[in-house]
Amino acid sequence: MKKFIFLSTLALSALMLSSCCAEPSQKQPKYVFYLILDGCGVNTVNAQEMYQAELQGRIGRVPTCMTQFPVVGVASTYSITNGVTDSAASGTALASGVKTYNGALGVDTDTIPVYGLANWAKAAGKLVGIGSSVCVNHATPGAHYAHQSTRNNYYEIGLDLAASGFDFFGGSDFNKATGNKKDLRPLHEIVADSGYTIARGLEDYEAKKAAADKLIFFQLQADSDIEPQNLPYWIDHREDQVTIVDQVRAQIDFLYSKDTEKKGFFLMNEIGGKIDYACHPNDAATAFAEVAAADSAVKLCYDFYLQHPDETLIVVTADHETGGLTVGNSAGGYTLNLKLLANQKCSDGAFTRKLQALRSQTHNKATWEQVKALLTENFGFYEAVEINEEDDAMLKEIYKRSFVGKMESEKNLYYENEPMTGAAVRLLNKKAHVGWTTNYHTAGLVPVYAIGVGAEKFSGHNDNAEIPLKIAEIAGYAVIQR
């Protein structure tokens, strides 16, 4: 008995209108790239481009690759239950065209499984690759293959991955690979039994790709032992660590090399998964670096497009905005000083680890001068960044309350930070004249960039649930009901 997909009224109406009023496309793209920037609003990209211009000593913007695509639009992101969506509901809408409740992953409001682009492409004979800069069983990648009532079912999402039959997966690793109680059979063993070869890093990938029928690309084991949930921030990564650019390079190479019958592929990658991670604690410098990293991944896809311009469609969008970022604040009036952000040398999380290491080294008796030296080294304070008496007094007070006293750590969605970390990031943001309204998601519009066959359909205002249906129509995928 067939299970039917219930498309949102808005998305279904848009698809019917497009089918009735638009002339049929003369071409269908063989290669579809669907790239997701998590937590990235229109202002997030604009601010990064203006920051790059200031680094060149001028007012303006240095366009990213994606903003130079010929088609530019925006998208709204609300879920069916909340004006402000979470990544699971928005991921489900972006994958399937189905609006659902916050926290739902690949299911509708009645928790009935819904299916989307990856399934439709596979049914059309295409190879399918799913990737992310965070764990492979996180909300956004999971929305393309999993069907769970809650995004928190990481182990069950991993089981859905193993059963999907898709050709390529990429991510940092599995989160909770042995379940919440850590007593279940490891997901790594289960995916291996399902025919997947796990490659860790580019060298391992090159050694294994030829023999692999289906492949999962992870970071090096040493990095997963420390942090399996995400790849390192771009601002923090070492040259020997896997980046999102490495992953996308492997994803394109694997899908294209395995496409022996030249039927094409569907490639989805959450290239900006950690933009969201940086925006939750309002870390502008780290967020802008993540936008740059994501755009480097876009460039790889664009290079592929240049080789196959009549057979390729690239769509870049985001699942929601995070942080309520504003380019300008009351401290700056009509001025910006974004270039000051270049003095930040590490992410908020990395700076917290440095403070914790100092605590350990000094047996929790770090002096103000030692903490001040770390602030100077990692944020440029007292040297490249002017610190006035009020700033100095604030930083010293945070030092006294957190190092001498017992001030609570600052919590955000993904981790906890030292109070001094939060204070330093906020102070640098203030001086750079970057503003934030929240540590959570917002309903702000997100960008849509497109190039290639059928790209014109994404111009103007889109709803997130319309985007996968437009892609399916352009690519000739049947919207499967089962």
Side-chain angles (χ1 to χ4, degrees):
M1 183 176 180
K2 293 184 177 180
K3 296 179 179 178
F4 290 90
I5 299 175
F6 295 93
L7 302 174
S8 70
T9 302
L10 178 61
L12 184 58
S13 298
L15 180 62
M16 292 175 63
L17 181 64
S18 177
S19 299
C20 293
C21 300
E23 293 183 5
S25 175
Q26 296 300 310
K27 294 183 178 179
Q28 293 177 341
K30 183 184 293 185
Y31 309 105
V32 175
F33 293 80
Y34 196 21
L35 308 175
I36 309 297
L37 308 167
D38 196 321
C40 185
V42 173
N43 260 2
T44 319
V45 177
N46 181 55
Q48 193 273 344
E49 293 182 329
M50 295 188 73
Y51 167 60
Q52 293 298 322
E54 284 201 16
L55 293 180
Q56 295 181 359
R58 62 184 179 85
I59 295 173
R61 51 186 283 269
V62 176
T64 53
C65 178
M66 54 190 163
T67 62
Q68 296 180 80
F69 284 2
V71 175
V72 177
V74 294
S76 48
T77 63
Y78 56 87
S79 72
I80 204 165
T81 56
N82 296 77
V84 179
T85 189
D86 83 319
S87 293
S90 59
T92 301
L94 287 171
S96 66
V98 178
K99 292 276 191 180
T100 190
Y101 61 90
N102 279 15
L105 196 64
V107 297
D108 66 12
T109 53
D110 295 320
T111 68
I112 296 173
V114 296
Y115 298 85
L117 281 166
N119 300 99
W120 306 338
K122 194 67 175 173
K126 313 294 184 180
L127 296 181
V128 173
I130 306 295
S132 176
S133 58
V134 299
C135 59
V136 73
N137 52 343
H138 208 258
T140 301
H144 290 264
Y145 63 81
H147 310 284
Q148 298 293 326
S149 62
T150 171
R151 60 182 290 178
N152 296 323
N153 291 345
Y154 286 102
Y155 187 80
E156 291 76 11
I157 294 169
L159 296 179
D160 286 344
L161 181 153
S164 70
F166 295 159
D167 304 279
F168 179 100
F169 286 97
S172 56
D173 210 313
F174 287 114
N175 184 28
K176 298 184 179 180
T178 53
N180 288 323
K181 297 181 180 179
K182 300 186 182 301
D183 60 353
L184 298 174
R185 189 177 177 219
L187 290 171
H188 302 85
E189 295 180 6
I190 293 173
V191 296
D193 286 349
S194 297
Y196 286 96
T197 298
I198 295 178
R200 291 190 174 275
L202 286 175
E203 288 188 11
D204 197 30
Y205 165 74
E206 291 294 339
K208 294 177 176 177
K209 68 176 184 179
D213 180 39
K214 298 179 293 186
L215 187 134
I216 300 177
F217 183 86
F218 283 153
Q219 64 185 349
L220 300 176
Q221 185 64 57
D223 291 315
S224 280
D225 289 342
I226 298 170
E227 178 52 88
Q229 296 187 36
N230 47 80
L231 298 178
Y233 279 122
W234 191 257
I235 198 173
D236 296 330
H237 85 277
R238 305 185 312 268
E239 288 188 4
D240 63 321
Q241 291 179 305
V242 171
T243 68
I244 188 59
V245 178
D246 296 327
Q247 183 193 124
V248 171
R249 181 178 290 111
Q251 188 176 14
I252 296 171
D253 177 68
F254 188 81
L255 294 175
Y256 189 69
S257 65
K258 296 297 180 179
D259 182 25
T260 55
E261 297 183 12
K262 298 307 174 188
K263 291 184 178 180
F265 59 70
F266 170 77
L267 181 156
M268 175 272 163
N269 198 295
E270 186 189 19
I271 54 174
K274 295 202 70 177
I275 298 172
D276 178 65
Y277 279 51
C279 289
H280 274 288
N282 296 165
D283 185 350
T286 300
F288 294 172
E290 288 303 304
V291 173
D295 195 56
S296 294
V298 172
K299 289 176 183 176
L300 290 179
C301 303
Y302 178 67
D303 288 343
F304 183 95
Y305 160 80
L306 292 178
Q307 297 174 23
H308 309 272
D310 298 325
E311 299 179 303
T312 303
L313 169 65
I314 304 174
V315 179
V316 185
T317 190
D319 59 351
H320 55 74
E321 197 275 346
T322 300
L325 174 68
T326 61
V327 194
N329 62 15
S330 58
Y334 291 107
T335 64
L336 293 174
N337 200 5
L338 299 172
K339 62 182 179 293
L340 284 184
L341 296 171
N343 292 291
Q344 184 173 328
K345 304 305 181 186
C346 65
S347 68
D348 61 312
F351 189 67
T352 282
R353 291 190 290 274
K354 292 183 180 185
L355 290 173
Q356 291 172 342
L358 179 61
R359 286 183 183 275
S360 178
Q361 294 163 9
T362 62
H363 304 287
N364 212 30
K365 294 182 179 180
T367 66
W368 163 243
E369 290 304 319
Q370 289 174 310
V371 173
K372 180 180 177 181
L374 278 181
L375 289 169
T376 300
E377 177 186 355
N378 293 282
F379 290 90
F381 292 171
Y382 298 97
E383 292 183 358
V385 179
E386 181 181 353
I387 298 297
N388 59 33
E389 290 184 7
E390 181 181 350
D391 302 330
D392 181 64
M394 181 274 293
L395 292 170
K396 286 179 178 176
E397 179 63 21
I398 296 294
Y399 161 75
K400 291 176 183 178
R401 291 172 61 191
S402 61
F403 278 83
V404 180
K406 294 184 178 180
M407 189 176 182
E408 290 187 4
S409 59
E410 296 186 3
K411 298 179 181 179
N412 64 68
L413 184 63
Y414 294 109
Y415 46 84
E416 297 184 18
N417 272 328
E418 286 270 354
M420 185 60 76
T421 299
V425 169
R426 286 189 292 273
L427 181 57
L428 187 61
N429 283 342
K430 179 181 177 181
K431 290 181 175 295
H433 305 155
V434 174
W436 301 86
T437 64
T438 181
N439 295 114
Y440 296 94
H441 300 175
T442 75
L445 294 174
V446 299
V448 180
Y449 309 115
I451 189 171
V453 181
E456 65 279 358
K457 290 185 179 293
F458 300 94
S459 180
H461 193 291
N462 304 267
D463 182 79
N464 60 359
E466 297 172 358
I467 295 174
L469 301 179
K470 290 181 179 181
I471 292 175
E473 179 191 10
I474 295 165
Y477 304 158
V479 178
I480 300 171
Q481 299 174 330
R482 38 173 153 173

